[in-house]
Amino acid sequence: MALATLTARVDEKDKSSFDSFCSNVGLNTSTAINLFVKAVLRENRIPFEIAQTPDPFFSEANMAYVKKSVQELKNGKGTAHELIEVDDE
């Protein structure tokens, strides 16, 4: 069986952590990725659940706070301000 090279770009820290994990369980990175590929082909799907992490902004507690704040503004309490943009970098 001929081998082919698979190239993927990942964050440096993620690669380092993945390499360390693989080493800790007695695998190398290439073997771990081959295990993943074989599982995908065998099961004809991604072999684990992919779930979206909910945005904490839309949590019940935060939405209740936002609604309360909006109501206070409508009732004349509080002060409306212009949006101040801040660079995250």
Side-chain angles (χ1 to χ4, degrees), residues 1-2 7 14 22 30-31 33 35 38 55 57 61 64 77:
M1 167 174 57
T7 303
D14 290 345
C22 290
S30 183
T31 301
I33 292 170
L35 286 170
K38 294 293 186 180
D55 186 337
F57 177 82
K77 299 176 184 173

Side-chain angles (χ1 to χ4, degrees), residues 13-48:
K13 291 178 184 176
D14 290 345
K15 182 185 181 309
S16 179
S17 295
F18 186 70
D19 289 343
S20 293
F21 169 82
C22 290
S23 179
N24 288 338
V25 297
L27 299 171
N28 63 38
T29 303
S30 183
T31 301
I33 292 170
N34 273 296
L35 286 170
F36 173 75
V37 169
K38 294 293 186 180
V40 167
L41 297 175
R42 181 180 60 250
E43 298 180 28
N44 201 30
R45 67 179 188 88
I46 302 295
F48 49 82

